[in-house]
Amino acid sequence: MKKLIMAFMLILLVLGGMIPEINAYADYDTKITQIDGKYTISINYIFDKLGAKVSLENSTYTITKGKNIIILNVGSNYAIVNQEEVEMDIPVTYSEVSMKFIEKYDTLFGNNVIWDEKSHMVSIMKTEAPVKSNVSFGMVTDIGGLGDKYYNDWAWSGLIKAGKELGSEPLVIQSRSQEDYLINMIKMTRKADLTIGIGFLMENAMKAAANLYQDKKFGIIDTVIDAPNVMSITYKENEGSFLVGVIAGMTTKTNTVGFIGGMDIPIIKEYEIGFRAGVASVNPDAKVLISYTGDFANPELGWEAALSQHNQKADVIYHASGACGIGIIWAADQYDFWAIGMDSDQAIFSEKNKVLCSMVKRVDVATHYLARSLAEGTFRGGYEKCMGLLEDGVGYSDYGRNVSDKAAEVAEKYKVKIIKGEIIVPSTEEELSTFKPVKLK
């Protein structure tokens, strides 16, 4: 997998008709202009980053890379793409071209440009046209299988995307119990070059399978296996949790919020610590209640823990407790407080739209990364890839549209500072004890 050639760039929105600026996290600066609510970006800047050549002849821009040619005429709503006329959303100016046009046609140049109008972020992933090969890859699901609208579904969507890009059909074997993990991995190794396990509960099974089939490659998500044929994907849960902590701290009316974890283990503590740091950064007077259910699979325990915290005036409760969180969301529906989901957008579990937002872990990004690394020859056994905000591995989602504009704006500013390394989010009690909350101006 080729590395990002340019880090995320933030567009700082300013008042009225003023021009927002992009500050690239490299030695580059450029501007985006807004025209009738649509965005344009510097022609020379963006295509330089795409690795294409730009030449200006009179009022015509010619952009070339390899055999691909795009001709842009100043003032025209049409462009010529490899001799075919295509319509753009806004006319080309002497220095700028539609961001939407670039997003649509960038694959001609072997890149992936993503423009997110909601977050006002631009990212550019340097890629190469995939080599059509006979590599095969598949995943073994955790309990719950496909259709869980959660971890397994997200992981599968990443493999489907990789399969389309690589011309390979992804495989899947579904587990009904933890006892199925090892046998299912063995089955997958007989069909695929790369076997991916979804979740840290598969660690022991994958260790055994990787030892048995040392000529095969394996990928594990949410834990680390030190083996020469296993690549591990982990997340900076503390960074995503920091953002929802910011939102919780700005949303609470009682100045009391809660965190409910499943097992009191290091990976879940990262959710808790990051959340507490985020709350403290925007609302140092807020009290954070902490509970652990001791379980990841019992919604009733989540319900009881949430009700206990709500009775102590918590009006926003963030959980990292697996299926226990379903009970927390049900309690939020009945007792009218906000719940914050974990790992995927959990608004679907609330009948009364009481999920404020959800901290998401992009499992689809992880599985896609693993499959692509296999096909591109960059797979690294014995290596841990940790995905945070910079890698788009974590973040938050707001399917229910409950996050206020102000909270979203502040969370975005913190996100940028974390990506730039100006804020280091703590992940342990020790780090939290020395963390100095950063209050933005």
Side-chain angles (χ1 to χ4, degrees), residues 238-259 270-290 314-319 340 356-357 410-411 414 418 423 425-426 432 435-440:
N238 55 323
E239 291 188 352
S241 297
F242 183 97
L243 296 186
V244 299
V246 167
I247 293 168
M250 295 185 65
T251 302
T252 179
K253 305 298 183 185
T254 64
N255 257 11
T256 303
V257 300
F259 172 83
E270 290 193 17
Y271 290 84
E272 176 198 323
I273 300 300
F275 178 71
R276 289 164 59 188
V279 172
S281 294
V282 294
N283 190 350
D285 297 327
K287 182 178 181 181
V288 183
L289 305 176
I290 309 297
D315 59 350
V316 183
I317 299 176
Y318 173 41
H319 89 90
I340 297 179
L356 176 61
C357 59
V410 173
Y414 275 109
I418 293 169
I423 295 177
V425 181
L432 182 63
F435 176 72
K436 295 181 179 179
V438 179
K439 190 170 182 62
L440 300 179

Side-chain angles (χ1 to χ4, degrees), residues 192-432:
D193 301 314
L194 171 66
T195 298
I196 301 173
I198 309 304
F200 66 89
L201 293 175
M202 294 190 178
E203 180 177 341
N204 290 334
M206 180 161 286
K207 284 180 179 177
N211 186 53
L212 286 170
Y213 296 88
Q214 297 182 18
D215 60 329
K216 294 285 188 172
K217 293 180 173 62
F218 296 82
I220 187 75
I221 295 173
D222 249 358
T223 190
V224 178
I225 295 177
D226 185 12
N229 56 339
V230 180
M231 189 169 180
S232 305
I233 304 289
T234 58
Y235 297 92
K236 296 178 182 177
E237 292 89 357
N238 55 323
E239 291 188 352
S241 297
F242 183 97
L243 296 186
V244 299
V246 167
I247 293 168
M250 295 185 65
T251 302
T252 179
K253 305 298 183 185
T254 64
N255 257 11
T256 303
V257 300
F259 172 83
I260 298 174
M263 300 288 188
D264 189 353
I265 54 180
I267 189 173
I268 302 301
K269 289 294 289 187
E270 290 193 17
Y271 290 84
E272 176 198 323
I273 300 300
F275 178 71
R276 289 164 59 188
V279 172
S281 294
V282 294
N283 190 350
D285 297 327
K287 182 178 181 181
V288 183
L289 305 176
I290 309 297
S291 302
Y292 279 84
T293 63
D295 201 305
F296 286 111
N298 192 334
E300 290 185 6
L301 293 177
W303 172 288
E304 293 169 0
L307 189 56
S308 174
Q309 290 191 350
H310 182 56
N311 287 338
Q312 298 174 67
K313 297 185 178 181
D315 59 350
V316 183
I317 299 176
Y318 173 41
H319 89 90
S321 59
C324 294
I326 306 301
I328 296 167
I329 294 170
W330 291 342
D333 278 345
Q334 181 164 339
Y335 294 98
D336 193 26
F337 61 85
W338 290 115
I340 297 179
M342 75 173 292
D343 291 356
S344 65
D345 197 306
Q346 296 192 311
I348 58 172
F349 296 116
S350 175
E351 294 182 357
K352 298 182 179 179
N353 194 23
K354 296 304 297 182
V355 173
L356 176 61
C357 59
S358 298
M359 197 288 280
V360 294
K361 289 202 294 191
R362 297 293 304 275
V363 190
D364 57 326
V365 173
T367 54
H368 179 267
Y369 178 88
L370 286 166
R372 293 283 311 206
S373 69
L374 174 72
E376 294 169 359
T378 57
F379 181 93
R380 295 173 62 185
Y383 173 70
E384 176 190 358
K385 173 72 173 178
C386 190
M387 295 184 168
L389 290 175
L390 174 62
E391 296 82 9
D392 196 27
V394 297
Y396 79 90
S397 63
D398 179 22
Y399 183 80
R401 304 297 184 211
N402 292 317
V403 177
S404 70
D405 290 343
K406 181 62 176 177
E409 178 184 353
V410 173
E412 189 63 37
K413 290 179 178 179
Y414 275 109
K415 176 180 177 179
V416 172
K417 285 190 172 293
I418 293 169
I419 290 173
K420 294 174 72 172
E422 295 178 7
I423 295 177
I424 305 300
V425 181
S427 60
T428 65
E429 287 282 2
E430 181 181 3
E431 292 173 352
L432 182 63

Side-chain angles (χ1 to χ4, degrees), residues 11-42:
I11 300 171
L12 302 175
L13 294 180
V14 291
L15 298 176
M18 295 178 67
I19 298 174
E21 290 186 352
I22 281 187
N23 294 320
Y25 307 140
D27 296 324
Y28 312 116
D29 287 296
T30 189
K31 292 182 178 179
I32 274 190
T33 303
Q34 190 173 17
I35 303 176
D36 296 330
K38 299 173 183 178
Y39 292 89
T40 64
I41 193 168
S42 163

Side-chain angles (χ1 to χ4, degrees), residues 132-173:
K132 301 298 182 181
S133 64
N134 59 356
V135 296
S136 55
F137 45 86
M139 66 177 240
V140 175
T141 73
D142 197 356
I143 302 168
L146 299 183
D148 64 353
K149 297 182 175 63
Y150 185 53
Y151 231 51
N152 293 304
D153 280 355
W154 268 45
W156 184 233
S157 69
L159 283 189
I160 290 175
K161 179 182 178 182
K164 290 178 179 178
E165 294 170 353
L166 299 167
S168 299
E169 189 72 28
L171 306 172
V172 62
I173 298 177

